[in-house]
Amino acid sequence: LVVDDHAAAARIRHWFANEYDGPGGLVVLPLEGLRFAVDRMPEGIRASGPGAPWVARLLRGVRLSEAGQGIGGPWIGPRESVDDRGVLRLGQPHRGGGTLARKAELERLEAQRAELGESARRASAQLQASTARVANQAAQVEQLESDRRSAGEEAARLLARSEAALERVSRVREELDSARAAVSRLQADHVSILERGAADEEALHQLKPEGAQVAPDPEELAAIRSQWEAFRERVTEAQLNEARSAAALDRVERELRTQKSVHASAVERSGRLETESEQLQAGLSTDTQDSEGAAADLDALFEERTQCERESSELDQRAEEIRQKVSALESELRKVQHEERGHAERRHELELEKTQIDAEHARTRERLEDEWGRPFDELAGEVEPAQGNHPELRSELTDVAEWLGRAGLVNMLAEEEYREEKERLEFLEAQREDLGKARDDLRNTIRDINETASATFLKTLEQIRINFKRTFATLFAGGECDVWLDDPNDPLDSPVEISASPGGKRTQRIHLLSGGERALTALSLLFAIYLVKPSPFCVLDEVDAPLDETNIRRFVSMLEQFKANVQFIVITHNPVTIEAADWIYGVTMEEPGVSKIVGVEFSEYARGAVA
């Protein structure tokens, strides 16, 4: 391959090393940096084209032998090499063996390749299954690890709540003990007060004379009552505190039992999840090992298949060499067979010639015997040998035979043949005169037709010229235009010239205008022709594509003027043109692969809107 630069050679080398897996080799010749004079080619060799410098460089020092063959041998190189001349060699030719051995080797390699392909497919399927299983187990492990972390966090939260509950229980128990101690003290004070009151009552009875009434001291009685009320309130408050402490203790103990139960289940679940995680990790390690083993087996199978393909390629090349040798031998065989057939045909021709000579000799003997009435052998004995050179005698005999042949026999029917030929000549001359008259009539008719057509064409062209100026001024809102014949003397074969000059521009040929100006000029000429020769239908295919909105509105206005006599079918994507249409048709695809034409009559909607 001859390439432009070293970058292209690098890309080919990358492709050959990474993507090409076939047999054979490749020689890459980059032209970048190559400076070699083509005029230094060996004498008798010429080269042209982009690769000529490489031809000159590769043939440097080569001389032609007497047979015209160059000195040099076939290239045999490593898998990839670059010599001192910059030639990049990729690949390496292979050698071959016998045809039967190649066939057997090919069958063996085909069977081995099929077996390796099946093994590779199985290994690939196992690898995919293992990969899927590993991915599934990894997902399960990840999920279990997440559940375990969640359970651990929940256990930690429950443990913290249990510790807090234990602290609250301890605190409530201390408060309960304090309340119970206060109640005990209050009860003891109450008993001591009751005992003191009883002792005071008894002492009062002892001090009071019999039958005498002692009035209690009001202040003392009020003080006792006040003390009694205060004591009772303290007792009530202590009892309430005791009841609240007992209820709080009971609630905290229940919460503590609940937290202990939840903590135990969380610890159990965490352990179970850790066990499952360990099992899945073990299974994941086993599957990973299996997957790695399958991948290694698959790589080995691929490498073996590559080796088999390489051997098959070598065998293919050897078979190709054998086929070339067989082709050369077959070509030689065909050449020999062709020569043999030529010799056989020549032999057959000589045999035919001998047969003809023998037959002619026999006929000559018979004719001589018939003419002279004597046997040929007796005549041959009486004939004296001819005097003279044999070629001269044969030439004289040939001349005499030709003179006799030219003289021929007397034709008794010559007069009758003459009369027949004369009648035929007279008939042909009459036919010739008729054809000449027909030719003259045809030329006169053609001349009349041309004159009529020319007059009609010139008249029509003049009308079109007038209409063209009017329609052009309408569409361009001014400007100048004209249409004329390039050769007025030959109107039927003369080219038609068109000039157009929009407002503010000088007169110029139509091919110098812009796309929109050319479209408007063409539409002006079309409408000018319709004014002379109307047509019932007119199809316009996206003629408004290069027009701006102002020119499109002028174009639509022109359509409105002509649509009373001409039905226009306009293919367009412009909304201004679509708004001016009476009918609109479109193609839609309600179902995949099924097209449907939809038509809408705008005039009906306009009438409905007016109504």
Side-chain angles (χ1 to χ4, degrees):
L1 295 179
V2 178
V3 298
D4 292 332
D5 49 16
H6 294 293
R11 290 194 296 271
I12 295 175
R13 178 170 52 190
H14 181 269
W15 167 81
F16 191 87
N18 298 318
E19 300 183 11
Y20 181 76
D21 196 19
L26 188 64
V27 178
V28 182
L29 305 177
L31 294 173
E32 183 179 0
L34 180 65
R35 298 292 183 270
F36 203 83
V38 181
D39 54 1
R40 298 181 184 176
M41 294 281 291
E43 184 177 359
I45 299 177
R46 297 292 181 268
S48 62
W54 267 113
V55 176
R57 182 169 187 173
L58 293 175
L59 294 181
R60 181 175 55 187
V62 175
R63 297 292 183 272
L64 292 180
S65 64
E66 294 180 358
Q69 300 294 331
I71 300 174
W75 163 72
I76 299 176
R79 178 69 179 170
E80 177 179 339
S81 63
V82 180
D83 59 11
D84 55 351
R85 295 177 297 176
V87 179
L88 172 62
R89 294 184 174 90
L90 305 175
Q92 183 177 5
H94 305 285
R95 297 179 180 177
T99 305
L100 297 178
R102 162 158 178 72
K103 183 177 180 182
E105 186 67 16
L106 280 176
E107 293 176 353
R108 183 184 67 81
L109 290 176
E110 286 292 337
Q112 188 174 3
R113 185 175 64 178
E115 182 179 356
L116 289 175
E118 184 65 26
S119 301
R121 285 192 294 272
R122 288 197 301 269
S124 179
Q126 292 178 0
L127 179 61
Q128 292 178 357
S130 300
T131 303
R133 192 164 59 251
V134 166
N136 188 15
Q137 290 184 355
Q140 293 181 0
V141 167
E142 185 177 357
Q143 182 64 31
L144 290 175
E145 186 67 22
S146 177
D147 294 342
R148 188 178 64 80
R149 288 195 299 269
S150 300
E153 294 174 358
E154 185 67 22
R157 287 196 300 271
L158 293 175
L159 181 61
R161 291 175 61 184
S162 299
E163 292 176 355
L166 288 174
E167 292 180 359
R168 289 200 302 272
V169 167
S170 176
R171 190 168 55 254
V172 169
R173 283 180 177 175
E174 291 177 357
E175 293 177 356
L176 183 60
D177 292 340
S178 301
R180 286 176 178 175
V183 169
S184 299
R185 287 194 302 273
L186 291 174
Q187 287 178 353
D189 293 340
H190 181 264
V191 171
S192 60
I193 290 171
L194 289 177
E195 290 178 355
R196 192 176 56 186
D200 292 338
E201 186 70 27
E202 186 178 356
L204 182 60
H205 280 293
Q206 290 178 0
L207 292 175
K208 181 177 66 176
E210 187 176 353
Q213 294 184 357
V214 179
D217 188 0
E219 294 181 359
E220 184 178 359
L221 184 58
I224 292 172
R225 286 178 179 175
S226 175
Q227 187 178 5
W228 173 257
E229 290 295 335
F231 177 75
R232 189 172 64 182
E233 289 178 357
R234 290 171 59 192
V235 170
T236 303
E237 184 178 359
Q239 290 175 351
L240 290 175
N241 290 333
E242 182 181 4
R244 283 196 295 270
S245 299
L249 179 62
D250 184 59
R251 185 172 63 254
V252 171
E253 287 179 350
R254 285 199 305 271
E255 185 177 358
L256 180 61
R257 288 193 298 271
T258 303
Q259 295 296 332
K260 287 182 178 180
S261 175
V262 172
H263 180 265
S265 4
V267 171
E268 182 181 359
R269 183 185 174 193
S270 177
R272 188 169 62 253
L273 289 175
E274 288 180 356
T275 304
E276 291 180 3
S277 176
E278 292 175 356
Q279 293 176 355
L280 287 175
Q281 287 287 353
L284 180 61
S285 301
T286 304
D287 290 339
T288 304
Q289 294 175 359
D290 295 340
S291 176
E292 292 176 354
D297 296 338
L298 184 60
D299 293 337
L301 289 174
F302 280 140
E303 185 177 358
E304 188 173 356
R305 186 181 70 176
T306 304
Q307 181 66 24
C308 291
E309 290 178 351
R310 189 179 299 109
E311 294 177 0
S312 176
S313 302
E314 294 176 358
L315 292 176
D316 285 337
Q317 186 171 3
R318 293 197 311 221
E320 182 64 27
E321 294 176 357
I322 294 173
R323 279 196 293 270
Q324 292 178 358
K325 293 180 181 178
V326 170
S327 299
L329 293 176
E330 288 178 351
S331 177
E332 243 180 82
L333 178 61
R334 286 193 296 270
K335 184 178 180 181
V336 172
Q337 289 176 349
H338 180 69
E339 293 178 356
E340 182 183 1
R341 284 195 296 270
H343 294 317
E345 291 175 357
R346 179 60 180 166
R347 178 182 177 184
H348 182 64
E349 291 175 357
L350 293 175
E351 289 178 353
L352 290 178
E353 187 176 356
K354 181 179 179 297
T355 304
Q356 291 175 357
I357 292 173
D358 292 341
E360 186 176 355
H361 184 265
R363 286 194 301 271
T364 303
R365 291 184 61 174
E366 291 176 357
R367 187 175 71 251
L368 291 173
E369 288 177 353
D370 292 339
E371 290 180 357
W372 294 92
R374 295 169 63 182
F376 177 80
D377 294 335
E378 185 179 348
L379 293 173
E382 294 180 356
V383 173
E384 296 180 359
Q387 298 296 327
N389 193 4
H390 180 72
E392 292 178 356
L393 294 175
R394 179 173 292 278
S395 175
E396 184 179 357
L397 179 62
T398 302
D399 294 339
V400 172
E402 289 180 354
W403 181 80
L404 291 175
R406 286 195 300 269
L409 300 176
V410 178
N411 186 8
M412 303 301 295
L413 300 176
E415 185 178 359
E416 185 179 355
E417 292 178 356
Y418 171 73
R419 287 196 299 269
E420 291 178 355
E421 292 297 329
K422 183 178 180 181
E423 292 176 358
R424 184 169 180 271
L425 178 60
E426 292 175 352
F427 174 75
L428 291 176
E429 288 178 349
Q431 292 291 324
R432 180 181 179 184
E433 291 178 359
D434 293 339
L435 290 174
K437 293 179 181 180
R439 180 194 61 189
D440 295 337
D441 294 340
L442 184 59
R443 286 178 177 175
N444 293 330
T445 304
I446 292 173
R447 183 170 56 254
D448 295 338
I449 292 173
N450 287 339
E451 290 176 356
T452 305
S454 298
T456 305
F457 178 74
L458 291 174
K459 181 180 177 181
T460 305
L461 181 62
E462 184 62 26
Q463 295 176 358
I464 291 175
R465 181 168 175 265
I466 297 172
N467 296 333
F468 180 44
K469 292 182 177 180
R470 191 173 67 226
T471 55
F472 184 87
T474 302
L475 288 177
F476 279 95
E480 297 179 356
C481 65
D482 198 1
V483 56
W484 67 90
L485 294 178
D486 188 35
D487 187 6
N489 297 324
D490 188 9
L492 297 181
D493 293 330
S494 172
V496 178
E497 296 290 338
I498 299 174
S499 67
S501 176
K505 294 186 178 181
R506 62 184 180 84
T507 303
Q508 54 186 346
R509 297 298 176 91
I510 190 171
H511 63 274
L512 299 176
L513 300 177
S514 64
E517 290 173 344
R518 279 186 289 177
L520 283 181
T521 304
L523 290 172
S524 301
L525 183 59
L526 176 64
F527 290 133
I529 294 173
Y530 277 177
L531 287 173
V532 178
K533 185 67 174 179
S535 176
F537 294 97
C538 179
V539 180
L540 303 176
D541 187 1
E542 295 191 7
V543 298
D544 56 351
L547 304 181
D548 56 10
E549 185 175 357
T550 302
N551 290 326
I552 288 176
R553 295 191 181 278
R554 294 174 183 170
F555 164 66
V556 171
S557 176
M558 186 68 72
L559 291 180
E560 293 289 344
Q561 296 176 13
F562 277 86
K563 76 175 184 180
N565 299 320
V566 182
Q567 183 174 0
F568 290 97
I569 301 173
V570 183
I571 301 171
T572 182
H573 295 281
N574 194 282
V576 177
T577 308
I578 295 174
E579 289 177 0
D582 296 330
W583 277 85
I584 181 172
Y585 295 91
V587 180
T588 182
M589 188 179 292
E590 295 180 352
E591 299 179 4
V594 180
S595 299
K596 179 181 179 182
I597 297 178
V598 179
V600 179
E601 184 178 3
F602 282 178
S603 58
E604 292 184 358
Y605 288 97
R607 287 196 297 268
V610 172

